Every structure is written in structure tokens, then in C-alpha cells.
Coordinates of all heavy atoms in Angstrom, one line a residue:
M1129 N 37.0 -48.2 -38.8 CA 37.5 -49.3 -39.7 C 38.8 -49.9 -39.2 O 39.9 -49.0 -39.0 CB 37.7 -48.9 -41.1 CG 38.2 -49.9 -42.0 SD 38.5 -49.3 -43.7 CE 36.8 -48.9 -44.2
N1130 N 39.0 -51.1 -38.9 CA 40.3 -51.6 -38.4 C 41.2 -51.8 -39.6 O 40.9 -51.7 -40.7 CB 40.0 -52.9 -37.6 CG 39.5 -54.1 -38.4 OD1 39.9 -54.2 -39.6 ND2 38.7 -54.9 -37.8
A1131 N 42.5 -52.1 -39.3 CA 43.6 -52.3 -40.2 C 43.2 -53.4 -41.2 O 43.5 -53.3 -42.5 CB 44.9 -52.6 -39.5
R1132 N 42.7 -54.5 -40.8 CA 42.4 -55.6 -41.7 C 41.2 -55.2 -42.7 O 41.4 -55.5 -44.0 CB 42.0 -56.9 -41.0 CG 41.7 -58.0 -41.9 CD 41.4 -59.3 -41.1 NE 40.9 -60.3 -41.9 CZ 41.7 -61.2 -42.7 NH1 43.0 -61.0 -42.6 NH2 41.2 -62.1 -43.4
D1133 N 40.3 -54.5 -42.2 CA 39.2 -54.1 -43.1 C 39.7 -53.0 -44.1 O 39.3 -53.0 -45.3 CB 38.1 -53.4 -42.4 CG 37.2 -54.4 -41.5 OD1 37.3 -55.7 -41.8 OD2 36.6 -54.0 -40.6
F1134 N 40.6 -52.2 -43.7 CA 41.2 -51.2 -44.6 C 42.1 -51.9 -45.6 O 41.9 -51.6 -46.8 CB 42.1 -50.2 -43.8 CG 42.8 -49.2 -44.6 CD1 42.1 -48.2 -45.1 CD2 44.2 -49.2 -44.8 CE1 42.7 -47.2 -45.9 CE2 44.8 -48.3 -45.5 CZ 44.1 -47.3 -46.1
E1135 N 42.8 -52.9 -45.3 CA 43.6 -53.7 -46.2 C 42.7 -54.4 -47.2 O 43.1 -54.4 -48.4 CB 44.4 -54.7 -45.4 CG 45.5 -55.5 -46.2 CD 46.3 -56.4 -45.3 OE1 46.1 -56.3 -44.1 OE2 47.1 -57.0 -45.9
L1136 N 41.6 -55.0 -46.8 CA 40.8 -55.7 -47.7 C 40.1 -54.8 -48.7 O 39.9 -55.1 -49.8 CB 39.7 -56.5 -46.9 CG 40.2 -57.8 -46.2 CD1 39.2 -58.3 -45.3 CD2 40.6 -58.8 -47.2
R1137 N 39.8 -53.5 -48.2 CA 39.2 -52.6 -49.0 C 40.1 -52.1 -50.2 O 39.8 -52.0 -51.3 CB 38.6 -51.3 -48.3 CG 37.8 -50.3 -49.1 CD 37.4 -49.2 -48.3 NE 38.5 -48.4 -47.7 CZ 39.1 -47.4 -48.3 NH1 38.7 -47.0 -49.5 NH2 40.1 -46.7 -47.7
L1138 N 41.4 -51.9 -49.7 CA 42.4 -51.6 -50.7 C 42.6 -52.6 -51.7 O 42.7 -52.4 -53.0 CB 43.7 -51.3 -50.0 CG 43.9 -50.0 -49.2 CD1 45.2 -50.0 -48.4 CD2 43.8 -48.8 -50.1
L1139 N 42.7 -53.8 -51.3 CA 42.8 -55.0 -52.2 C 41.6 -55.2 -53.1 O 41.7 -55.5 -54.4 CB 43.1 -56.3 -51.4 CG 44.5 -56.4 -50.7 CD1 44.4 -57.5 -49.7 CD2 45.6 -56.5 -51.8
A1140 N 40.4 -55.0 -52.6 CA 39.3 -55.0 -53.4 C 39.3 -54.0 -54.5 O 38.9 -54.2 -55.7 CB 38.0 -54.9 -52.6
D1141 N 39.7 -52.7 -54.2 CA 39.8 -51.6 -55.1 C 40.9 -52.0 -56.2 O 40.6 -51.8 -57.4 CB 40.2 -50.4 -54.4 CG 39.1 -49.8 -53.6 OD1 38.0 -50.3 -53.7 OD2 39.4 -48.9 -52.8
L1142 N 41.9 -52.6 -55.8 CA 43.0 -52.9 -56.7 C 42.5 -54.0 -57.7 O 42.7 -54.1 -58.9 CB 44.2 -53.4 -56.0 CG 45.5 -53.8 -56.9 CD1 45.9 -52.6 -57.9 CD2 46.6 -54.2 -56.0
R1143 N 41.7 -55.0 -57.1 CA 41.2 -56.1 -57.9 C 40.3 -55.5 -58.9 O 40.3 -55.9 -60.2 CB 40.4 -57.1 -57.0 CG 39.8 -58.2 -57.7 CD 39.0 -59.2 -56.8 NE 38.4 -60.2 -57.5 CZ 37.1 -60.2 -58.0 NH1 36.4 -59.0 -57.8 NH2 36.6 -61.2 -58.6
T1144 N 39.4 -54.6 -58.6 CA 38.5 -54.0 -59.5 C 39.3 -53.3 -60.7 O 39.0 -53.5 -61.9 CB 37.6 -53.0 -58.9 OG1 36.8 -53.7 -57.9 CG2 36.7 -52.3 -59.9
S1145 N 40.3 -52.6 -60.4 CA 41.1 -52.0 -61.4 C 41.8 -53.0 -62.3 O 42.0 -52.8 -63.5 CB 42.2 -51.1 -60.7 OG 41.5 -49.9 -60.2
L1146 N 42.4 -54.1 -61.7 CA 43.0 -55.1 -62.5 C 42.0 -55.8 -63.4 O 42.3 -56.1 -64.5 CB 43.7 -56.2 -61.6 CG 45.0 -55.6 -60.9 CD1 45.3 -56.5 -59.8 CD2 46.1 -55.5 -61.9
L1147 N 40.9 -56.1 -62.9 CA 39.8 -56.7 -63.8 C 39.4 -55.8 -64.9 O 39.3 -56.2 -66.0 CB 38.6 -57.1 -62.9 CG 38.6 -58.1 -61.9 CD1 37.4 -58.1 -61.0 CD2 38.9 -59.5 -62.6
G1148 N 39.4 -54.5 -64.7 CA 39.1 -53.5 -65.7 C 40.3 -53.5 -66.8 O 40.0 -53.1 -67.9
L1149 N 41.5 -54.0 -66.4 CA 42.6 -54.1 -67.4 C 42.7 -55.4 -68.1 O 43.6 -55.7 -68.8 CB 43.9 -53.8 -66.7 CG 44.1 -52.4 -66.1 CD1 45.3 -52.3 -65.3 CD2 44.1 -51.3 -67.3
G1150 N 41.6 -56.2 -67.8 CA 41.6 -57.6 -68.4 C 42.4 -58.7 -67.7 O 42.5 -59.7 -68.2
M1151 N 42.8 -58.4 -66.4 CA 43.6 -59.4 -65.8 C 42.7 -60.4 -65.0 O 41.6 -59.9 -64.6 CB 44.5 -58.7 -64.7 CG 45.5 -57.6 -65.3 SD 46.6 -58.3 -66.5 CE 47.6 -59.3 -65.5
A1152 N 43.1 -61.6 -64.9 CA 42.3 -62.6 -64.1 C 42.9 -62.5 -62.8 O 44.1 -62.7 -62.5 CB 42.4 -64.0 -64.7
V1153 N 42.1 -62.1 -61.8 CA 42.6 -61.9 -60.4 C 41.5 -62.4 -59.4 O 40.3 -62.2 -59.6 CB 42.9 -60.4 -60.2 CG1 41.8 -59.6 -60.4 CG2 43.5 -60.2 -58.8
R1154 N 42.1 -63.0 -58.3 CA 41.2 -63.5 -57.1 C 41.7 -62.9 -55.9 O 42.8 -62.8 -55.6 CB 41.3 -65.0 -57.2 CG 40.4 -65.7 -56.2 CD 40.5 -67.2 -56.4 NE 41.7 -67.7 -55.8 CZ 42.5 -68.7 -56.4 NH1 42.2 -69.2 -57.5 NH2 43.5 -69.2 -55.8
L1155 N 40.8 -62.5 -55.0 CA 41.0 -61.9 -53.7 C 41.0 -63.1 -52.7 O 40.1 -63.9 -52.7 CB 39.9 -60.9 -53.3 CG 40.0 -60.4 -51.9 CD1 41.3 -59.6 -51.7 CD2 38.8 -59.5 -51.6
D1156 N 42.1 -63.3 -52.0 CA 42.2 -64.2 -50.9 C 42.1 -63.5 -49.6 O 43.0 -62.7 -49.2 CB 43.5 -65.0 -51.0 CG 43.7 -66.1 -49.9 OD1 43.0 -65.9 -48.9 OD2 44.5 -66.9 -50.1
E1157 N 40.9 -63.6 -49.0 CA 40.7 -62.8 -47.7 C 41.4 -63.5 -46.6 O 41.6 -62.8 -45.5 CB 39.2 -62.7 -47.5 CG 38.5 -61.9 -48.5 CD 37.0 -61.7 -48.1 OE1 36.6 -61.9 -46.9 OE2 36.3 -61.2 -49.0
D1158 N 41.8 -64.7 -46.6 CA 42.4 -65.3 -45.4 C 43.8 -64.8 -45.2 O 44.3 -64.7 -44.2 CB 42.5 -66.9 -45.7 CG 41.2 -67.5 -45.7 OD1 40.2 -66.9 -45.0 OD2 41.0 -68.5 -46.4
M1159 N 44.6 -64.6 -46.3 CA 46.0 -64.1 -46.2 C 46.2 -62.8 -45.8 O 47.2 -62.5 -45.1 CB 46.8 -64.5 -47.5 CG 46.9 -66.0 -47.6 SD 47.9 -66.8 -46.3 CE 49.6 -66.2 -46.7
P1160 N 45.6 -61.7 -46.2 CA 44.9 -61.3 -47.4 C 45.8 -60.9 -48.5 O 46.9 -60.4 -48.3 CB 43.9 -60.3 -46.9 CG 44.7 -59.6 -45.8 CD 45.5 -60.6 -45.1
G1161 N 45.4 -61.1 -49.7 CA 46.1 -60.6 -50.9 C 45.4 -61.0 -52.2 O 44.3 -61.5 -52.1
L1162 N 46.0 -60.7 -53.3 CA 45.4 -60.9 -54.6 C 46.3 -62.0 -55.3 O 47.5 -61.8 -55.2 CB 45.4 -59.6 -55.5 CG 44.4 -58.6 -54.9 CD1 44.6 -57.3 -55.9 CD2 43.1 -58.9 -54.8
L1163 N 45.6 -62.9 -56.0 CA 46.3 -63.9 -56.8 C 46.1 -63.4 -58.2 O 44.9 -63.5 -58.7 CB 45.8 -65.3 -56.6 CG 46.2 -65.9 -55.2 CD1 45.2 -66.9 -54.9 CD2 47.5 -66.4 -55.3
V1164 N 47.1 -62.9 -58.9 CA 46.9 -62.4 -60.3 C 47.4 -63.5 -61.2 O 48.7 -63.9 -61.2 CB 47.6 -61.1 -60.5 CG1 47.4 -60.5 -61.9 CG2 47.3 -60.1 -59.5
S1165 N 46.6 -64.0 -62.1 CA 47.0 -65.1 -63.0 C 48.0 -64.6 -64.0 O 48.0 -63.5 -64.5 CB 45.8 -65.6 -63.8 OG 44.9 -66.2 -62.9
T1166 N 48.9 -65.5 -64.4 CA 50.0 -65.2 -65.4 C 49.6 -66.0 -66.6 O 48.7 -66.8 -66.7 CB 51.3 -65.6 -64.9 OG1 51.4 -67.1 -64.8 CG2 51.7 -65.1 -63.6
A1167 N 50.4 -66.0 -67.6 CA 50.3 -66.8 -68.9 C 50.4 -68.3 -68.7 O 49.9 -69.1 -69.4 CB 51.3 -66.3 -69.9
K1168 N 51.1 -68.6 -67.6 CA 51.3 -70.0 -67.3 C 50.2 -70.5 -66.3 O 50.1 -70.0 -65.2 CB 52.7 -70.2 -66.5 CG 53.0 -71.6 -66.3 CD 54.4 -71.7 -65.7 CE 54.7 -73.2 -65.4 NZ 56.1 -73.4 -64.8
P1169 N 49.4 -71.4 -66.7 CA 48.2 -71.9 -66.0 C 48.8 -72.4 -64.6 O 49.8 -73.1 -64.4 CB 47.7 -73.1 -66.7 CG 48.1 -72.8 -68.2 CD 49.5 -72.1 -68.1
G1170 N 48.0 -72.0 -63.5 CA 48.3 -72.3 -62.1 C 49.4 -71.4 -61.6 O 49.7 -71.7 -60.4
L1171 N 50.0 -70.6 -62.3 CA 51.1 -69.7 -61.7 C 50.5 -68.2 -61.5 O 49.9 -67.7 -62.4 CB 52.3 -69.6 -62.6 CG 53.6 -69.1 -62.0 CD1 54.0 -69.9 -60.8 CD2 54.6 -68.9 -63.0
F1172 N 50.7 -67.7 -60.3 CA 50.1 -66.5 -59.9 C 51.1 -65.5 -59.4 O 52.1 -66.0 -58.8 CB 49.0 -66.6 -58.9 CG 47.9 -67.5 -59.2 CD1 47.9 -68.9 -59.1 CD2 46.8 -66.9 -59.9 CE1 46.9 -69.7 -59.4 CE2 45.7 -67.8 -60.2 CZ 45.8 -69.1 -60.0
V1173 N 50.9 -64.2 -59.5 CA 51.6 -63.2 -58.9 C 50.8 -62.8 -57.6 O 49.7 -62.5 -57.7 CB 51.8 -61.9 -59.7 CG1 52.6 -60.8 -58.9 CG2 52.7 -62.3 -60.9
W1174 N 51.5 -62.9 -56.4 CA 50.8 -62.5 -55.2 C 51.0 -61.1 -54.9 O 52.2 -60.5 -54.9 CB 51.4 -63.3 -54.0 CG 50.9 -63.1 -52.7 CD1 51.5 -62.4 -51.7 CD2 49.6 -63.6 -52.2 NE1 50.6 -62.4 -50.6 CE2 49.5 -63.1 -50.9 CE3 48.6 -64.2 -52.8 CZ2 48.4 -63.3 -50.2 CZ3 47.5 -64.5 -52.0 CH2 47.3 -64.1 -50.8
V1175 N 49.9 -60.3 -54.7 CA 50.0 -58.9 -54.4 C 49.4 -58.6 -53.0 O 48.2 -59.2 -52.8 CB 49.3 -58.0 -55.5 CG1 49.4 -56.5 -55.2 CG2 49.7 -58.4 -56.9
F1176 N 50.0 -57.9 -52.2 CA 49.5 -57.6 -50.8 C 49.8 -56.2 -50.5 O 50.6 -55.5 -51.2 CB 50.2 -58.6 -49.8 CG 51.7 -58.7 -49.8 CD1 52.4 -57.9 -48.9 CD2 52.4 -59.3 -50.8 CE1 53.7 -57.8 -48.8 CE2 53.8 -59.3 -50.7 CZ 54.5 -58.6 -49.8
V1177 N 49.2 -55.8 -49.4 CA 49.5 -54.4 -48.8 C 50.7 -54.7 -47.9 O 50.7 -55.5 -46.9 CB 48.3 -53.9 -48.0 CG1 48.6 -52.6 -47.4 CG2 47.1 -53.7 -49.0
G1178 N 51.7 -53.8 -48.1 CA 52.9 -54.0 -47.2 C 52.6 -53.6 -45.8 O 51.7 -53.1 -45.4
A1179 N 53.6 -54.1 -44.9 CA 53.4 -53.9 -43.5 C 53.2 -52.5 -43.1 O 52.4 -52.2 -42.1 CB 54.6 -54.4 -42.7
S1180 N 53.7 -51.5 -43.8 CA 53.5 -50.1 -43.4 C 52.0 -49.6 -43.7 O 51.6 -48.6 -43.3 CB 54.5 -49.2 -44.3 OG 54.1 -49.2 -45.6
G1181 N 51.3 -50.4 -44.6 CA 50.0 -50.0 -45.1 C 50.0 -48.9 -46.1 O 49.0 -48.4 -46.5
R1182 N 51.2 -48.5 -46.6 CA 51.3 -47.4 -47.5 C 51.5 -47.9 -49.0 O 51.4 -47.1 -50.0 CB 52.3 -46.5 -47.2 CG 52.1 -45.8 -45.9 CD 53.1 -44.7 -45.5 NE 54.5 -45.2 -45.6 CZ 55.3 -45.2 -44.5 NH1 54.8 -44.8 -43.3 NH2 56.5 -45.7 -44.5
T1183 N 51.8 -49.2 -49.2 CA 52.2 -49.7 -50.5 C 51.5 -51.0 -50.9 O 51.3 -51.8 -49.9 CB 53.7 -49.8 -50.7 OG1 54.2 -50.8 -49.8 CG2 54.5 -48.5 -50.6
F1184 N 51.2 -51.2 -52.1 CA 50.9 -52.5 -52.6 C 52.2 -53.1 -53.0 O 53.2 -52.5 -53.5 CB 50.1 -52.5 -53.9 CG 48.8 -52.0 -53.7 CD1 48.3 -50.8 -54.1 CD2 47.8 -52.8 -53.0 CE1 47.0 -50.4 -54.0 CE2 46.5 -52.4 -52.8 CZ 46.1 -51.2 -53.3
T1185 N 52.5 -54.4 -52.7 CA 53.8 -55.1 -52.8 C 53.6 -56.4 -53.6 O 52.6 -57.1 -53.4 CB 54.4 -55.3 -51.5 OG1 54.5 -54.0 -50.8 CG2 55.9 -55.8 -51.6
W1186 N 54.6 -56.7 -54.4 CA 54.6 -58.0 -55.1 C 56.0 -58.4 -55.5 O 57.0 -57.5 -55.3 CB 53.7 -58.0 -56.4 CG 54.1 -57.0 -57.4 CD1 54.8 -57.2 -58.5 CD2 53.8 -55.6 -57.4 NE1 55.0 -56.1 -59.3 CE2 54.5 -55.1 -58.6 CE3 53.1 -54.7 -56.6 CZ2 54.3 -53.7 -59.0 CZ3 53.1 -53.4 -56.9 CH2 53.6 -52.9 -58.1
R1187 N 56.2 -59.5 -55.9 CA 57.6 -60.0 -56.3 C 58.5 -59.9 -55.2 O 59.5 -59.1 -55.3 CB 58.0 -59.4 -57.6 CG 59.2 -60.2 -58.1 CD 59.8 -59.5 -59.4 NE 61.0 -60.2 -59.9 CZ 62.1 -59.8 -59.3 NH1 62.3 -58.8 -58.5 NH2 63.3 -60.5 -59.8
R1188 N 58.4 -60.7 -54.2 CA 59.4 -60.8 -53.1 C 59.7 -59.4 -52.5 O 60.9 -59.1 -52.2 CB 60.7 -61.4 -53.5 CG 60.5 -62.9 -53.8 CD 61.8 -63.6 -54.0 NE 62.6 -62.9 -55.0 CZ 63.4 -63.4 -55.9 NH1 63.6 -64.7 -55.9 NH2 64.2 -62.7 -56.7
D1189 N 58.7 -58.5 -52.4 CA 58.9 -57.3 -51.6 C 59.7 -56.3 -52.4 O 60.1 -55.2 -51.8 CB 59.4 -57.5 -50.2 CG 59.1 -56.3 -49.3 OD1 58.1 -55.7 -49.4 OD2 60.0 -56.0 -48.5
D1190 N 60.2 -56.5 -53.6 CA 61.0 -55.5 -54.3 C 60.3 -54.6 -55.4 O 60.8 -53.8 -56.0 CB 62.3 -56.1 -54.9 CG 62.0 -57.1 -56.0 OD1 60.8 -57.5 -56.2 OD2 62.9 -57.5 -56.6
S1191 N 58.9 -55.0 -55.5 CA 58.1 -54.1 -56.4 C 56.9 -53.6 -55.6 O 56.2 -54.3 -55.0 CB 57.6 -55.1 -57.5 OG 58.6 -55.6 -58.4
K1192 N 56.9 -52.3 -55.6 CA 55.9 -51.6 -54.8 C 55.3 -50.4 -55.5 O 55.9 -49.9 -56.4 CB 56.6 -51.1 -53.5 CG 57.3 -52.1 -52.7 CD 57.9 -51.5 -51.4 CE 58.6 -52.6 -50.6 NZ 59.0 -52.1 -49.4
H1193 N 54.1 -50.0 -55.0 CA 53.5 -48.9 -55.6 C 52.5 -48.4 -54.4 O 51.9 -49.1 -53.7 CB 52.6 -49.2 -56.8 CG 52.2 -48.0 -57.6 ND1 53.1 -47.5 -58.6 CD2 51.1 -47.2 -57.5 CE1 52.4 -46.4 -59.1 NE2 51.3 -46.2 -58.5
P1194 N 52.5 -47.0 -54.3 CA 51.6 -46.4 -53.3 C 50.1 -46.8 -53.3 O 49.5 -46.8 -54.4 CB 51.7 -44.9 -53.4 CG 53.0 -44.7 -54.2 CD 53.1 -46.0 -55.1
V1195 N 49.5 -47.1 -52.2 CA 48.1 -47.5 -52.1 C 47.2 -46.3 -52.5 O 46.0 -46.6 -52.8 CB 47.7 -48.1 -50.8 CG1 48.5 -49.4 -50.5 CG2 47.9 -47.1 -49.6
D1196 N 47.6 -45.1 -52.5 CA 46.8 -44.0 -52.8 C 46.7 -43.7 -54.3 O 46.1 -42.7 -54.7 CB 47.2 -42.7 -52.1 CG 48.7 -42.3 -52.3 OD1 49.4 -43.0 -53.0 OD2 49.1 -41.2 -51.7
D1197 N 47.3 -44.6 -55.1 CA 47.2 -44.6 -56.5 C 46.8 -45.9 -57.1 O 47.7 -46.7 -57.7 CB 48.6 -44.1 -57.1 CG 48.6 -44.0 -58.6 OD1 47.4 -44.0 -59.3 OD2 49.6 -44.2 -59.3
V1198 N 45.6 -46.3 -56.8 CA 45.1 -47.7 -57.2 C 45.2 -47.9 -58.7 O 45.8 -48.9 -59.1 CB 43.7 -48.0 -56.7 CG1 43.2 -49.2 -57.3 CG2 43.8 -48.0 -55.1
P1199 N 44.8 -46.9 -59.5 CA 44.9 -47.2 -61.0 C 46.4 -47.3 -61.5 O 46.7 -48.2 -62.3 CB 44.3 -46.0 -61.6 CG 43.4 -45.5 -60.6 CD 44.1 -45.7 -59.3
G1200 N 47.4 -46.6 -60.9 CA 48.7 -46.7 -61.2 C 49.3 -48.0 -60.8 O 50.1 -48.6 -61.4
A1201 N 48.8 -48.5 -59.6 CA 49.3 -49.7 -59.1 C 48.8 -50.9 -60.0 O 49.6 -51.8 -60.3 CB 48.9 -50.0 -57.6
A1202 N 47.6 -50.8 -60.4 CA 47.0 -51.8 -61.2 C 47.8 -51.9 -62.6 O 48.1 -53.0 -63.0 CB 45.6 -51.6 -61.5
A1203 N 48.1 -50.7 -63.1 CA 48.8 -50.7 -64.4 C 50.2 -51.3 -64.2 O 50.8 -52.0 -65.0 CB 48.9 -49.3 -64.9
Q1204 N 50.9 -51.0 -63.1 CA 52.2 -51.5 -62.9 C 52.2 -53.0 -62.7 O 53.1 -53.7 -63.2 CB 52.8 -50.8 -61.6 CG 54.3 -50.9 -61.5 CD 54.9 -50.0 -60.5 OE1 54.3 -49.2 -59.9 NE2 56.2 -50.3 -60.2
V1205 N 51.2 -53.5 -61.9 CA 51.1 -55.0 -61.6 C 50.9 -55.6 -63.0 O 51.5 -56.7 -63.3 CB 50.0 -55.3 -60.7 CG1 49.7 -56.8 -60.6 CG2 50.4 -54.8 -59.3
A1206 N 49.9 -55.1 -63.8 CA 49.6 -55.7 -65.1 C 50.8 -55.7 -66.0 O 51.0 -56.7 -66.7 CB 48.5 -54.9 -65.8
R1207 N 51.6 -54.6 -66.0 CA 52.8 -54.6 -66.9 C 53.8 -55.6 -66.4 O 54.4 -56.4 -67.3 CB 53.5 -53.2 -66.8 CG 52.9 -52.2 -67.7 CD 53.8 -51.0 -67.9 NE 54.1 -50.3 -66.6 CZ 53.3 -49.4 -66.1 NH1 52.2 -49.0 -66.7 NH2 53.6 -48.8 -65.0
F1208 N 53.9 -55.8 -65.1 CA 54.9 -56.9 -64.5 C 54.4 -58.2 -64.9 O 55.3 -59.0 -65.4 CB 55.0 -56.7 -63.0 CG 55.7 -57.8 -62.4 CD1 57.1 -57.9 -62.5 CD2 55.1 -58.9 -61.8 CE1 57.9 -58.9 -61.9 CE2 55.8 -59.9 -61.2 CZ 57.2 -59.9 -61.3
V1209 N 53.1 -58.5 -64.8 CA 52.6 -59.9 -65.0 C 52.8 -60.1 -66.6 O 53.2 -61.2 -67.0 CB 51.2 -60.0 -64.6 CG1 50.5 -61.3 -65.2 CG2 51.1 -59.9 -63.1
T1210 N 52.4 -59.2 -67.4 CA 52.5 -59.3 -68.9 C 54.0 -59.5 -69.3 O 54.3 -60.3 -70.1 CB 51.9 -58.2 -69.5 OG1 50.5 -58.1 -69.1 CG2 51.9 -58.4 -71.1
A1211 N 54.8 -58.7 -68.8 CA 56.3 -58.7 -69.2 C 56.9 -60.0 -68.8 O 57.9 -60.4 -69.5 CB 57.0 -57.5 -68.6
Q1212 N 56.5 -60.6 -67.7 CA 57.2 -61.8 -67.2 C 56.8 -63.1 -68.1 O 57.6 -64.0 -68.1 CB 56.8 -62.1 -65.8 CG 57.4 -61.0 -64.9 CD 58.8 -60.8 -64.9 OE1 59.5 -61.7 -64.9 NE2 59.3 -59.7 -65.1
A1213 N 55.6 -63.1 -68.7 CA 55.1 -64.1 -69.5 C 55.3 -65.5 -68.9 O 55.8 -66.5 -69.5 CB 55.8 -64.1 -70.9
G1214 N 55.1 -65.6 -67.6 CA 55.1 -66.8 -66.9 C 56.5 -67.2 -66.3 O 56.6 -68.2 -65.6
Q1215 N 57.5 -66.4 -66.6 CA 58.8 -66.7 -66.0 C 59.0 -65.8 -64.8 O 59.7 -64.8 -64.9 CB 59.9 -66.3 -67.1 CG 59.7 -67.0 -68.4 CD 59.7 -68.5 -68.3 OE1 60.5 -69.1 -67.6 NE2 58.7 -69.2 -68.8
L1216 N 58.4 -66.1 -63.7 CA 58.4 -65.3 -62.5 C 59.2 -65.7 -61.3 O 59.3 -66.9 -61.1 CB 56.9 -65.2 -62.1 CG 56.0 -64.6 -63.0 CD1 54.5 -64.9 -62.7 CD2 56.2 -63.1 -63.1
N1217 N 59.8 -64.8 -60.7 CA 60.5 -65.1 -59.4 C 59.6 -64.5 -58.4 O 59.1 -63.4 -58.4 CB 61.8 -64.4 -59.4 CG 62.8 -65.0 -60.4 OD1 62.8 -66.1 -60.6 ND2 63.5 -64.1 -61.0
G1218 N 59.4 -65.2 -57.2 CA 58.7 -64.8 -56.1 C 57.2 -64.8 -56.4 O 56.4 -64.0 -55.8
S1219 N 56.7 -65.7 -57.2 CA 55.3 -65.8 -57.5 C 54.7 -67.0 -56.7 O 55.5 -67.8 -56.2 CB 55.1 -66.0 -59.0 OG 55.7 -67.1 -59.4
A1220 N 53.5 -67.1 -56.6 CA 52.9 -68.2 -55.8 C 52.3 -69.3 -56.8 O 51.6 -69.0 -57.8 CB 51.7 -67.7 -55.0
D1221 N 52.7 -70.5 -56.6 CA 52.2 -71.5 -57.5 C 51.0 -72.2 -56.8 O 51.1 -72.5 -55.6 CB 53.3 -72.6 -57.6 CG 53.0 -73.7 -58.6 OD1 51.8 -73.9 -58.9 OD2 53.9 -74.3 -59.3
D1222 N 49.9 -72.2 -57.5 CA 48.6 -72.7 -56.9 C 48.7 -74.1 -56.7 O 47.7 -74.7 -56.1 CB 47.5 -72.3 -57.9 CG 46.1 -72.3 -57.2 OD1 46.0 -71.9 -56.0 OD2 45.2 -72.7 -57.8
H1223 N 49.5 -74.9 -57.2 CA 49.6 -76.3 -57.1 C 50.5 -76.7 -55.9 O 51.6 -76.3 -55.9 CB 50.0 -77.0 -58.4 CG 49.2 -76.8 -59.5 ND1 47.9 -77.3 -59.7 CD2 49.3 -75.8 -60.5 CE1 47.3 -76.8 -60.7 NE2 48.1 -75.9 -61.2
F1224 N 50.1 -77.5 -55.0 CA 50.9 -77.9 -53.8 C 51.1 -79.5 -53.9 O 50.9 -80.1 -52.9 CB 50.2 -77.5 -52.6 CG 49.9 -76.0 -52.5 CD1 48.6 -75.6 -52.7 CD2 50.8 -75.1 -52.2 CE1 48.3 -74.3 -52.6 CE2 50.5 -73.8 -52.1 CZ 49.2 -73.3 -52.3
D1225 N 51.7 -79.9 -54.9 CA 51.9 -81.4 -55.0 C 53.1 -81.8 -54.2 O 54.0 -81.2 -54.0 CB 52.1 -81.9 -56.4 CG 51.5 -81.1 -57.5 OD1 51.9 -80.0 -57.7 OD2 50.6 -81.7 -58.2

């Protein structure tokens, strides 16, 4: 398995865990990463596998969780998204006007 396939598998596992927590999440295979919906329509938190391949990362690289704890990472991402209530720094806006 190459690095990209490994990264996509990790992201798919995290997506499944986030869906199980009731989060709306989409896998973007091109970048690759996850777009986790926030309370503000069209505003997402971008989650990706860090360059080291050892952490899931979000919010401008200052929020991380080990990839070997997918349920813990999902819980941490869900808490972050919920706590922010749409007031996010370092999130991806889906509208490119």
C-alpha cells in the first residue's frame, strides 16, 4: 500500500467514526482530506493527515490527534466543530465567490 492509499484509508476510517457521531462529513480524495460541516452552512473544518503520517490535523495545523486512535480523533474533531458553533479560524469555506 502506498502512502496516498494509506492516507485515504485513514481518512475513510475517520469519516466513518465522525458519521457515527452524527457529523456531516465528506471525503475529498483530490486533496485528500475531510470536509466536516459546521453549524454555519457552507463552512467546513478541513481535516487531513499530517506530513508525518502520524496525526490527523485540523485548524491551521495546531489541532492534532494520533492516527492510531481514530475514535479519539473523531471525538476531538466533533468537540472542536461543535464548540466553535460556526466561528472558526482556519476552516475552509465551500463558496469561492
Side-chain angles (χ1 to χ4, degrees):
M1129 175 181 299
N1130 67 32
R1132 181 176 172 80
D1133 290 341
F1134 180 69
E1135 186 175 358
L1136 287 170
R1137 186 177 63 87
L1138 288 171
L1139 290 166
D1141 290 348
L1142 181 59
R1143 178 181 179 269
T1144 298
S1145 289
L1146 286 165
L1147 289 171
L1149 294 174
M1151 305 300 294
V1153 58
R1154 185 173 78 224
L1155 175 62
D1156 182 336
E1157 292 187 15
D1158 294 330
M1159 288 297 286
L1162 298 178
L1163 291 157
V1164 184
S1165 295
T1166 68
K1168 184 176 178 184
L1171 193 64
F1172 299 89
V1173 173
W1174 180 253
V1175 182
F1176 57 96
V1177 176
S1180 69
R1182 295 189 304 245
T1183 59
F1184 292 110
T1185 306
W1186 61 98
R1187 194 181 171 273
R1188 292 191 307 215
D1189 198 39
D1190 63 353
S1191 297
K1192 299 179 181 189
H1193 196 87
V1195 296
D1196 60 0
D1197 177 22
V1198 172
Q1204 197 171 349
V1205 169
R1207 276 193 304 274
F1208 173 76
V1209 170
T1210 303
Q1212 297 302 312
Q1215 305 302 313
L1216 297 163
N1217 293 321
S1219 57
D1221 191 333
D1222 199 38
H1223 301 282
F1224 302 104
D1225 334 64

